[in-house]
Amino acid sequence: MLRSASFAAFRRATKPMAKTTMFQAARGMASAASSDTVTFDLGDSAFEGYNIDVPSTSVTMGREEAIGMYRAMQEVRRLEMAADSSYKHKLIRGFCHLCTGQEAVPVGVERALTAEDAVITAYRCHGFTYMRGAPAMGILAELMGRGAGVSKGKGGSMHMYAPNFYGGNGIVGAQVPLGAGIAFAQKYSGANACTVALYGDGAANQGQVFESYNMAKLWDLPVLFVCENNKYGMGTAASRAAANTDYYTRGQYIPGIRVNGMDVLAVRQAIAYGREYAISGKGPLVLEMKTYRYGGHSMSDPGTTYRTREEIQHMRSTSDPIMGYKHRLLENGVATEDDLKQIDKQAKKFIDEELAKAKAAPEPKAAELWDDVYVKGSEVPYLRGRVPEETHHY
């Protein structure tokens, strides 16, 4: 109830944002209004299939959308860099899980969806929250526990929401059955939409994941189960925790696709392909995004006790999603080096301004502690505080 009430309150309080409009306008496939398109070849290593044909490795889109995806990845990275710096300056406390290095996944997922589709993920959620339309200032303010945050400063890093984005979930793997439930509601109501339920390789051995597979296939729910395989579940390598690390094959009776999760175009193509599959009545798919996080599991983890600095540097220098996409844009003549440098500067300036606004935002008033615990009209008579004198009566 707390999550539902907080999300509902956020949606009521949030006015349409120019950035949200920009993202929604750029969603999906290439713009039909523009003949200025570009075609990319993803290469044979983009996909591997399990009991299904893989998507096409030829991707055509409008030039503006192609450049917009670069801008979005830069903004997501700058957002996480701002969170990193704020945490180290003790403006952010508690849990904080960053997606630096994995930007291609939230950006690629969003650009293949419509505003009516739903997304739910685990606690590495800042990029998804932003791509679903939440303002950067609201995300940073939430991290700092400020009243202007997307959950009014009460949720923090792991509990963020936006329209048709259901979090941000702190319990390992718990979002997967919730995602199946959202997809059930979509099918029950006849919505022409699907749900993307994301989880990490560390959660992939949870029993509730396989229970969700079963129910989703029994009812052919329009859900894409997406495993973000960044090679480590906290500090444990996937190979030490899982007997089968081919996560895209784990659905058994559900087809699967392994995707190069460091390639934003491959992610976009796979999600678009999966969405059409799911909403056509064929049921769920299991997708594995092969990706990598540069930082530790969370800000309290240096990330170098279970892997070498050389491994991290190798991934940065050979597989960085932003640099790889930049080279692709330059090679295809979509943008010049100066164009992309200007976007880099704009992204930094924009996030710096949003960070300043978040820092200036006040903390929520103590009296607001009792708000949004229950949906209005469904409150219990009272909630207990730490001592009887703190009991709150609705």
Side-chain angles (χ1 to χ4, degrees):
M1 291 298 290
L2 176 58
R3 288 180 183 145
S4 300
S6 296
F7 176 49
F10 164 70
R11 294 192 67 172
R12 289 195 303 272
T14 304
K15 296 179 180 179
M17 302 289 293
K19 181 156 286 296
T20 303
T21 303
M22 179 188 74
F23 279 150
Q24 290 178 347
R27 282 186 177 121
M29 308 306 285
S31 170
S34 174
S35 60
D36 191 15
T37 61
V38 60
T39 299
F40 299 97
D41 179 20
L42 304 184
D44 295 337
S45 62
F47 310 114
E48 294 178 61
Y50 168 73
N51 291 340
I52 192 173
D53 293 332
V54 299
S56 171
T57 56
S58 179
V59 180
T60 300
M61 66 173 66
R63 289 177 180 268
E64 288 302 313
E65 183 188 1
I67 294 172
M69 291 170 69
Y70 179 82
R71 182 187 300 274
M73 283 199 291
Q74 279 287 11
E75 289 178 349
V76 170
R77 178 161 295 183
R78 286 291 176 182
L79 179 68
E80 295 294 61
M81 289 172 66
D84 180 281
S85 175
S86 298
Y87 196 99
K88 290 171 180 174
H89 284 87
K90 299 185 178 180
L91 294 171
I92 299 172
R93 305 288 184 133
F95 295 106
C96 187
H97 306 80
L98 306 181
C99 71
T100 309
Q102 299 183 204
E103 296 87 356
V105 180
V107 174
V109 166
E110 183 60 32
R111 291 304 166 88
L113 300 178
T114 70
E116 287 70 41
D117 295 315
V119 177
I120 187 168
T121 188
Y123 37 74
R124 204 177 303 281
C125 64
H126 309 158
F128 292 100
T129 310
Y130 182 63
M131 290 309 299
R132 284 267 86 181
M137 189 278 282
I139 294 169
L140 292 166
E142 186 60 38
L143 288 168
M144 297 178 193
R146 308 300 171 90
V150 294
S151 297
K152 298 186 177 181
K154 301 176 185 179
S157 176
M158 298 192 288
H159 302 100
M160 296 185 178
Y161 307 91
N164 275 328
F165 177 65
Y166 295 85
N169 292 268
I171 306 301
V172 175
Q175 72 278 7
V176 180
L178 292 177
I182 298 167
F184 176 80
Q186 289 169 329
K187 183 168 184 175
Y188 188 81
S189 63
N192 188 39
C194 76
T195 295
V196 178
L198 298 111
Y199 56 99
D201 53 285
N205 298 317
Q206 288 268 326
Q208 58 192 328
V209 173
F210 296 94
E211 293 170 15
S212 302
Y213 288 172
N214 183 56
M215 299 306 295
K217 187 54 188 171
L218 272 175
W219 295 333
D220 279 334
L221 301 180
V223 57
L224 306 180
F225 297 109
V226 179
C227 176
E228 289 186 272
N229 178 10
N230 60 21
K231 298 187 178 182
Y232 298 94
M234 296 188 72
T236 303
S239 59
R240 296 182 58 208
N244 176 12
T245 56
D246 293 329
Y247 296 102
Y248 71 111
T249 69
R250 284 185 163 205
Q252 296 175 301
Y253 38 78
I254 300 176
I257 302 172
R258 174 179 278 161
V259 184
N260 178 3
M262 302 300 269
D263 183 348
V264 67
L265 295 175
V267 175
R268 174 186 176 276
Q269 186 80 335
I271 295 295
Y273 180 87
R275 181 183 186 276
E276 290 303 311
Y277 180 97
I279 66 174
S280 69
K282 295 177 183 177
L285 282 181
V286 176
L287 288 85
E288 175 189 352
M289 301 292 173
K290 293 279 285 185
T291 184
Y292 195 83
R293 56 171 164 82
Y294 296 154
H297 171 72
S298 69
M299 287 298 297
S300 61
D301 168 25
T304 54
T305 57
Y306 48 86
R307 58 184 182 173
T308 64
R309 295 182 187 276
E310 289 74 21
E311 176 186 312
I312 300 169
Q313 184 55 43
H314 174 75
M315 292 299 295
R316 279 184 177 273
S317 61
T318 63
S319 302
D320 184 77
I322 296 177
M323 291 305 297
Y325 189 53
K326 176 181 179 179
H327 293 322
R328 197 171 250 157
L329 293 177
L330 294 173
E331 289 171 0
N332 284 271
V334 179
T336 66
E337 187 82 43
D338 288 341
D339 293 335
L340 299 181
K341 283 182 179 178
Q342 185 64 24
I343 290 174
D344 297 347
K345 291 178 182 178
Q346 291 169 353
K348 181 181 185 304
K349 181 176 183 290
F350 169 66
I351 295 299
D352 285 348
E353 291 172 349
E354 295 291 281
L355 177 61
K357 294 176 188 176
K359 288 179 179 179
E363 294 182 354
K365 296 178 181 178
E368 295 178 13
L369 175 67
W370 311 101
D371 295 346
D372 304 315
V373 178
Y374 292 90
V375 174
K376 285 190 179 297
S378 68
E379 298 94 342
V380 295
Y382 63 89
L383 279 179
R384 292 180 297 175
R386 295 168 300 174
V387 295
E389 290 76 19
E390 291 182 348
T391 298
H392 177 79
H393 294 270
Y394 284 99

